[in-house]
Amino acid sequence: METVHINKLTQIRSGERLQFYKKNVYIEANIDCHGELEFFGCNIYYNAGTSIGKITLSPESQLNIWNSHVFGGTLDETAFVRGKQADISCLNSTFHNCQRFISVTDSEFYMDKCGVYNCIRGFVCVDNGIKCSVENTLIKVDDLTIIASEITYKKEHSGLSSPHIFDIDRWCEYKNNLFYCPFELEDSLWLTVFWGDNHSVEHCTFINLGHQSIHYSYNPKTISNSLFVGGSSVIRMDGGGELTTSMFINCENAVECSSNKINSCYFVDCCGPTIRNSISGGAIIGAGLILFNNALIFPRYIKALPV
């Protein structure tokens, strides 16, 4: 494939379209997009050398990454893609070591049939998201070097928030995704896979989650038909929402919640308390609990009560 170095300011005017088709693209200078920017069948490199370029999306602009591979370089303090009121689409693509990849506001974000590999700090951040979804995507963390550097970075910066892979505020649907780590993550990492408000998680599988890997800070919708294997305090749901028809295996303090509905969930070989009140810290008391083969089965709705 032809190699292209973007090493000077590139401007895409409103109504214009810039497409890179089956190229190796090194982004070493800024791209100011008021129109449409598309990568199809490309290998995209950012923060790969001493020259660091950014993509800025203006209102009503569009970014498409389709059938491509994206490779992040050195960790930068600001996101690679920034902007507001934009439309971002990632299809059939892979992302490798992409830290602080996207940070936008009032925007649409859509990801389908992608692979996200070792992108553990601020991969996608959408403030006040509009019609956001992540579907049919593999999220894998298995690079010990990246994990160790993240733990060190967090310890050296007191008060630093936990690393988030997807931090989408409002209106996001997660469907048919797989999060996989071949080993248990340290609790000190507090790696959060999905963070935000008003989300739904459906038909997802999580293997060896970190601490509070799914965190809803306000008004969660539902977590349903999902599987959680390993991890500590893997879900925190504050302010309502429903957890239903899901299974937890070998989890410690599997769920922290308050005023939530829990229906038809199975907890196998979990230690705990398996479900803990996120406000009082005590175990939840509910009617209709059945103890069967080291599993707690909830045959009907229970309401979280403080103890």
Side-chain angles (χ1 to χ4, degrees):
M1 288 193 298
E2 179 187 359
T3 297
V4 176
H5 291 267
I6 299 176
N7 50 23
K8 62 179 181 180
L9 175 64
T10 300
Q11 292 186 323
I12 306 170
R13 295 182 177 87
S14 178
E16 292 183 344
R17 179 171 177 261
L18 175 61
Q19 182 192 57
F20 294 92
Y21 181 76
K22 293 187 177 181
K23 298 182 186 300
N24 295 313
V25 183
Y26 288 82
I27 300 178
E28 300 165 345
N30 292 339
I31 299 175
D32 188 7
C33 180
H34 296 265
E36 182 178 353
L37 174 61
E38 179 176 305
F39 299 91
F40 186 95
C42 294
N43 295 320
I44 306 164
Y45 301 86
Y46 73 96
N47 294 358
T50 56
S51 298
I52 295 178
K54 306 289 183 183
I55 296 174
T56 301
L57 301 175
S58 295
E60 299 184 4
S61 63
Q62 184 169 345
L63 171 64
N64 298 326
I65 301 175
W66 296 345
N67 296 85
S68 296
H69 306 284
V70 184
F71 302 90
T74 56
L75 179 63
D76 189 28
E77 293 300 320
T78 56
F80 170 58
V81 178
R82 300 170 293 177
K84 60 183 179 180
Q85 299 174 20
D87 186 351
I88 301 172
S89 174
C90 302
L91 302 177
N92 299 306
S93 297
T94 64
F95 302 84
H96 306 263
N97 189 25
C98 295
Q99 319 304 336
R100 293 192 175 95
F101 181 58
I102 292 173
S103 181
V104 293
T105 60
D106 302 309
S107 297
E108 296 185 21
F109 175 79
Y110 177 65
M111 174 173 281
D112 190 15
K113 298 181 180 66
C114 290
V116 178
Y117 302 97
N118 296 300
C119 307
I120 64 175
R121 176 161 289 280
F123 173 58
V124 173
C125 297
V126 183
D127 186 22
N128 196 26
I130 303 170
K131 296 181 181 179
C132 297
S133 67
V134 179
E135 302 179 14
N136 307 304
T137 290
L138 168 65
I139 306 159
K140 187 175 182 180
V141 176
D142 65 352
D143 191 318
L144 287 171
T145 302
I146 292 176
I147 293 171
S149 65
E150 180 61 39
I151 292 173
T152 300
Y153 185 82
K154 188 171 183 288
K155 289 179 179 178
E156 290 176 350
H157 296 74
S158 60
L160 184 70
S161 63
S162 303
H164 305 149
I165 298 178
F166 290 95
D167 182 354
I168 299 177
D169 177 30
R170 298 184 183 179
W171 316 116
C172 187
E173 294 183 343
Y174 298 98
K175 294 182 179 180
N176 305 314
N177 301 303
L178 169 63
F179 171 87
Y180 172 71
C181 180
F183 41 79
E184 286 195 24
L185 293 169
E186 287 190 28
D187 281 353
S188 61
L189 181 60
W190 277 47
L191 175 62
T192 301
V193 183
F194 301 148
W195 172 288
D197 308 330
N198 227 338
H199 292 179
S200 63
V201 176
E202 182 179 358
H203 293 291
C204 291
T205 298
F206 303 85
I207 300 176
N208 286 332
L209 288 163
H211 191 80
Q212 290 188 5
S213 286
I214 298 178
H215 191 144
Y216 290 144
S217 57
Y218 175 74
N219 195 25
K221 289 184 178 179
T222 60
I223 298 175
S224 63
N225 301 302
S226 295
L227 172 65
F228 304 84
V229 181
S232 171
S233 299
V234 296
I235 295 177
R236 175 160 180 155
M237 301 173 68
D238 294 332
E242 180 179 353
L243 172 61
T244 183
T245 54
S246 296
M247 176 174 283
F248 298 78
I249 301 174
N250 194 29
C251 296
E252 180 181 359
N253 301 329
V255 179
E256 296 183 17
C257 59
S258 62
S259 301
N260 303 94
K261 293 180 179 180
I262 300 177
N263 181 47
S264 301
C265 291
Y266 298 81
F267 298 82
V268 180
D269 293 328
C270 294
C271 58
T274 300
I275 303 177
R276 184 169 60 182
N277 190 293
S278 60
I279 298 174
S280 70
I284 287 178
I285 298 174
L289 301 185
I290 301 173
L291 183 63
F292 176 75
N293 192 24
N294 295 322
L296 287 173
I297 303 175
F298 299 84
R300 59 181 179 271
Y301 286 114
I302 66 170
K303 184 177 177 65
L305 300 175
V307 297

mmCIF file of all heavy atoms in Angstrom, residues 246-271:
data_model
loop_
_atom_site.group_PDB
_atom_site.id
_atom_site.type_symbol
_atom_site.label_atom_id
_atom_site.label_comp_id
_atom_site.label_asym_id
_atom_site.label_seq_id
_atom_site.Cartn_x
_atom_site.Cartn_y
_atom_site.Cartn_z
ATOM 1 N N SER A 246 -29.138 -12.550 34.031
ATOM 2 C CA SER A 246 -27.692 -12.577 33.836
ATOM 3 C C SER A 246 -27.047 -13.531 34.830
ATOM 4 O O SER A 246 -27.646 -13.883 35.848
ATOM 5 C CB SER A 246 -27.098 -11.162 33.981
ATOM 6 O OG SER A 246 -27.585 -10.311 32.965
ATOM 7 N N MET A 247 -25.824 -13.952 34.548
ATOM 8 C CA MET A 247 -25.120 -14.899 35.406
ATOM 9 C C MET A 247 -23.760 -14.340 35.797
ATOM 10 O O MET A 247 -23.047 -13.751 34.976
ATOM 11 C CB MET A 247 -24.939 -16.243 34.707
ATOM 12 C CG MET A 247 -24.125 -17.259 35.513
ATOM 13 S SD MET A 247 -24.060 -18.897 34.755
ATOM 14 C CE MET A 247 -25.701 -19.495 35.178
ATOM 15 N N PHE A 248 -23.399 -14.552 37.083
ATOM 16 C CA PHE A 248 -22.118 -14.148 37.637
ATOM 17 C C PHE A 248 -21.409 -15.399 38.163
ATOM 18 O O PHE A 248 -21.987 -16.151 38.950
ATOM 19 C CB PHE A 248 -22.304 -13.148 38.771
ATOM 20 C CG PHE A 248 -22.965 -11.860 38.341
ATOM 21 C CD1 PHE A 248 -24.329 -11.802 38.133
ATOM 22 C CD2 PHE A 248 -22.207 -10.713 38.140
ATOM 23 C CE1 PHE A 248 -24.949 -10.626 37.746
ATOM 24 C CE2 PHE A 248 -22.813 -9.529 37.748
ATOM 25 C CZ PHE A 248 -24.182 -9.484 37.549
ATOM 26 N N ILE A 249 -20.179 -15.604 37.738
ATOM 27 C CA ILE A 249 -19.413 -16.780 38.152
ATOM 28 C C ILE A 249 -18.087 -16.329 38.765
ATOM 29 O O ILE A 249 -17.336 -15.564 38.142
ATOM 30 C CB ILE A 249 -19.140 -17.722 36.966
ATOM 31 C CG1 ILE A 249 -20.465 -18.190 36.337
ATOM 32 C CG2 ILE A 249 -18.323 -18.940 37.400
ATOM 33 C CD1 ILE A 249 -20.285 -19.005 35.075
ATOM 34 N N ASN A 250 -17.834 -16.794 39.978
ATOM 35 C CA ASN A 250 -16.557 -16.530 40.659
ATOM 36 C C ASN A 250 -16.258 -15.033 40.748
ATOM 37 O O ASN A 250 -15.149 -14.577 40.466
ATOM 38 C CB ASN A 250 -15.412 -17.255 39.929
ATOM 39 C CG ASN A 250 -14.138 -17.293 40.766
ATOM 40 O OD1 ASN A 250 -14.192 -17.286 41.998
ATOM 41 N ND2 ASN A 250 -13.007 -17.314 40.097
ATOM 42 N N CYS A 251 -17.254 -14.272 41.167
ATOM 43 C CA CYS A 251 -17.084 -12.827 41.347
ATOM 44 C C CYS A 251 -17.079 -12.490 42.838
ATOM 45 O O CYS A 251 -17.802 -13.108 43.628
ATOM 46 C CB CYS A 251 -18.206 -12.061 40.662
ATOM 47 S SG CYS A 251 -18.260 -12.254 38.867
ATOM 48 N N GLU A 252 -16.296 -11.508 43.208
ATOM 49 C CA GLU A 252 -16.267 -11.023 44.588
ATOM 50 C C GLU A 252 -17.025 -9.702 44.662
ATOM 51 O O GLU A 252 -16.754 -8.788 43.880
ATOM 52 C CB GLU A 252 -14.822 -10.826 45.047
ATOM 53 C CG GLU A 252 -14.706 -10.315 46.481
ATOM 54 C CD GLU A 252 -13.263 -10.098 46.905
ATOM 55 O OE1 GLU A 252 -12.361 -10.369 46.080
ATOM 56 O OE2 GLU A 252 -13.061 -9.649 48.043
ATOM 57 N N ASN A 253 -17.968 -9.613 45.635
ATOM 58 C CA ASN A 253 -18.808 -8.405 45.716
ATOM 59 C C ASN A 253 -19.338 -8.050 44.327
ATOM 60 O O ASN A 253 -19.106 -6.967 43.809
ATOM 61 C CB ASN A 253 -18.019 -7.227 46.287
ATOM 62 C CG ASN A 253 -17.469 -7.505 47.665
ATOM 63 O OD1 ASN A 253 -18.068 -8.254 48.445
ATOM 64 N ND2 ASN A 253 -16.326 -6.932 47.977
ATOM 65 N N ALA A 254 -20.061 -8.993 43.746
ATOM 66 C CA ALA A 254 -20.391 -8.895 42.323
ATOM 67 C C ALA A 254 -21.101 -7.600 41.945
ATOM 68 O O ALA A 254 -20.775 -6.977 40.939
ATOM 69 C CB ALA A 254 -21.244 -10.088 41.916
ATOM 70 N N VAL A 255 -22.071 -7.180 42.753
ATOM 71 C CA VAL A 255 -22.904 -6.030 42.366
ATOM 72 C C VAL A 255 -23.015 -5.047 43.523
ATOM 73 O O VAL A 255 -23.270 -5.443 44.658
ATOM 74 C CB VAL A 255 -24.317 -6.491 41.957
ATOM 75 C CG1 VAL A 255 -25.183 -5.293 41.569
ATOM 76 C CG2 VAL A 255 -24.256 -7.505 40.827
ATOM 77 N N GLU A 256 -22.817 -3.777 43.222
ATOM 78 C CA GLU A 256 -23.112 -2.699 44.158
ATOM 79 C C GLU A 256 -24.242 -1.871 43.551
ATOM 80 O O GLU A 256 -24.129 -1.412 42.414
ATOM 81 C CB GLU A 256 -21.887 -1.813 44.400
ATOM 82 C CG GLU A 256 -20.725 -2.541 45.071
ATOM 83 C CD GLU A 256 -19.570 -1.607 45.365
ATOM 84 O OE1 GLU A 256 -19.786 -0.382 45.359
ATOM 85 O OE2 GLU A 256 -18.459 -2.101 45.595
ATOM 86 N N CYS A 257 -25.319 -1.704 44.313
ATOM 87 C CA CYS A 257 -26.456 -1.001 43.732
ATOM 88 C C CYS A 257 -27.287 -0.348 44.826
ATOM 89 O O CYS A 257 -27.056 -0.560 46.018
ATOM 90 C CB CYS A 257 -27.323 -1.972 42.924
ATOM 91 S SG CYS A 257 -27.988 -3.349 43.875
ATOM 92 N N SER A 258 -28.246 0.462 44.403
ATOM 93 C CA SER A 258 -29.186 1.094 45.331
ATOM 94 C C SER A 258 -30.495 1.313 44.598
ATOM 95 O O SER A 258 -30.510 1.835 43.487
ATOM 96 C CB SER A 258 -28.635 2.427 45.855
ATOM 97 O OG SER A 258 -28.454 3.335 44.794
ATOM 98 N N SER A 259 -31.581 0.866 45.205
ATOM 99 C CA SER A 259 -32.927 1.041 44.637
ATOM 100 C C SER A 259 -33.036 0.477 43.232
ATOM 101 O O SER A 259 -33.627 1.091 42.344
ATOM 102 C CB SER A 259 -33.303 2.540 44.629
ATOM 103 O OG SER A 259 -33.274 3.055 45.933
ATOM 104 N N ASN A 260 -32.442 -0.686 43.035
ATOM 105 C CA ASN A 260 -32.484 -1.334 41.728
ATOM 106 C C ASN A 260 -33.400 -2.549 41.768
ATOM 107 O O ASN A 260 -33.661 -3.118 42.817
ATOM 108 C CB ASN A 260 -31.087 -1.769 41.298
ATOM 109 C CG ASN A 260 -30.106 -0.624 41.253
ATOM 110 O OD1 ASN A 260 -29.412 -0.386 42.226
ATOM 111 N ND2 ASN A 260 -30.066 0.083 40.156
ATOM 112 N N LYS A 261 -33.853 -2.983 40.607
ATOM 113 C CA LYS A 261 -34.590 -4.219 40.468
ATOM 114 C C LYS A 261 -33.659 -5.303 39.953
ATOM 115 O O LYS A 261 -32.951 -5.099 38.962
ATOM 116 C CB LYS A 261 -35.770 -4.032 39.517
ATOM 117 C CG LYS A 261 -36.860 -3.108 40.045
ATOM 118 C CD LYS A 261 -37.990 -2.969 39.056
ATOM 119 C CE LYS A 261 -39.092 -2.063 39.610
ATOM 120 N NZ LYS A 261 -40.210 -1.925 38.636
ATOM 121 N N ILE A 262 -33.671 -6.447 40.631
ATOM 122 C CA ILE A 262 -32.825 -7.564 40.236
ATOM 123 C C ILE A 262 -33.730 -8.762 40.001
ATOM 124 O O ILE A 262 -34.475 -9.168 40.887
ATOM 125 C CB ILE A 262 -31.778 -7.887 41.309
ATOM 126 C CG1 ILE A 262 -30.891 -6.657 41.545
ATOM 127 C CG2 ILE A 262 -30.925 -9.077 40.888
ATOM 128 C CD1 ILE A 262 -29.876 -6.837 42.637
ATOM 129 N N ASN A 263 -33.672 -9.319 38.801
ATOM 130 C CA ASN A 263 -34.623 -10.356 38.441
ATOM 131 C C ASN A 263 -33.915 -11.487 37.699
ATOM 132 O O ASN A 263 -33.168 -11.255 36.755
ATOM 133 C CB ASN A 263 -35.724 -9.767 37.550
ATOM 134 C CG ASN A 263 -36.757 -10.789 37.165
ATOM 135 O OD1 ASN A 263 -37.250 -11.543 38.000
ATOM 136 N ND2 ASN A 263 -37.065 -10.828 35.883
ATOM 137 N N SER A 264 -34.168 -12.729 38.160
ATOM 138 C CA SER A 264 -33.720 -13.931 37.448
ATOM 139 C C SER A 264 -32.232 -13.911 37.145
ATOM 140 O O SER A 264 -31.798 -14.147 36.020
ATOM 141 C CB SER A 264 -34.515 -14.102 36.149
ATOM 142 O OG SER A 264 -35.891 -14.201 36.425
ATOM 143 N N CYS A 265 -31.425 -13.605 38.156
ATOM 144 C CA CYS A 265 -29.972 -13.626 38.007
ATOM 145 C C CYS A 265 -29.384 -14.773 38.817
ATOM 146 O O CYS A 265 -29.915 -15.155 39.858
ATOM 147 C CB CYS A 265 -29.359 -12.299 38.455
ATOM 148 S SG CYS A 265 -29.743 -10.930 37.354
ATOM 149 N N TYR A 266 -28.276 -15.295 38.376
ATOM 150 C CA TYR A 266 -27.627 -16.428 39.009
ATOM 151 C C TYR A 266 -26.217 -16.023 39.435
ATOM 152 O O TYR A 266 -25.469 -15.448 38.641
ATOM 153 C CB TYR A 266 -27.562 -17.616 38.044
ATOM 154 C CG TYR A 266 -28.915 -18.129 37.627
ATOM 155 C CD1 TYR A 266 -29.634 -17.491 36.616
ATOM 156 C CD2 TYR A 266 -29.486 -19.221 38.246
ATOM 157 C CE1 TYR A 266 -30.882 -17.941 36.235
ATOM 158 C CE2 TYR A 266 -30.741 -19.689 37.871
ATOM 159 C CZ TYR A 266 -31.427 -19.047 36.867
ATOM 160 O OH TYR A 266 -32.664 -19.490 36.498
ATOM 161 N N PHE A 267 -25.865 -16.355 40.676
ATOM 162 C CA PHE A 267 -24.543 -16.048 41.218
ATOM 163 C C PHE A 267 -23.906 -17.368 41.646
ATOM 164 O O PHE A 267 -24.326 -17.982 42.612
ATOM 165 C CB PHE A 267 -24.661 -15.086 42.403
ATOM 166 C CG PHE A 267 -25.253 -13.747 42.027
ATOM 167 C CD1 PHE A 267 -26.622 -13.586 41.913
ATOM 168 C CD2 PHE A 267 -24.430 -12.668 41.789
ATOM 169 C CE1 PHE A 267 -27.174 -12.360 41.561
ATOM 170 C CE2 PHE A 267 -24.958 -11.430 41.444
ATOM 171 C CZ PHE A 267 -26.334 -11.279 41.325
ATOM 172 N N VAL A 268 -22.886 -17.788 40.909
ATOM 173 C CA VAL A 268 -22.280 -19.102 41.118
ATOM 174 C C VAL A 268 -20.872 -18.933 41.671
ATOM 175 O O VAL A 268 -20.034 -18.249 41.062
ATOM 176 C CB VAL A 268 -22.244 -19.899 39.796
ATOM 177 C CG1 VAL A 268 -21.619 -21.272 40.017
ATOM 178 C CG2 VAL A 268 -23.640 -20.022 39.207
ATOM 179 N N ASP A 269 -20.616 -19.562 42.823
ATOM 180 C CA ASP A 269 -19.284 -19.516 43.448
ATOM 181 C C ASP A 269 -18.791 -18.088 43.628
ATOM 182 O O ASP A 269 -17.612 -17.786 43.394
ATOM 183 C CB ASP A 269 -18.271 -20.331 42.630
ATOM 184 C CG ASP A 269 -18.573 -21.820 42.656
ATOM 185 O OD1 ASP A 269 -19.095 -22.299 43.683
ATOM 186 O OD2 ASP A 269 -18.297 -22.501 41.653
ATOM 187 N N CYS A 270 -19.684 -17.220 44.019
ATOM 188 C CA CYS A 270 -19.313 -15.834 44.288
ATOM 189 C C CYS A 270 -19.132 -15.642 45.793
ATOM 190 O O CYS A 270 -19.796 -16.285 46.600
ATOM 191 C CB CYS A 270 -20.385 -14.871 43.776
ATOM 192 S SG CYS A 270 -20.566 -14.857 41.975
ATOM 193 N N CYS A 271 -18.211 -14.767 46.162
ATOM 194 C CA CYS A 271 -18.033 -14.437 47.570
ATOM 195 C C CYS A 271 -18.388 -12.980 47.764
ATOM 196 O O CYS A 271 -18.480 -12.216 46.822
ATOM 197 C CB CYS A 271 -16.611 -14.726 48.039
ATOM 198 S SG CYS A 271 -15.327 -13.867 47.116
#
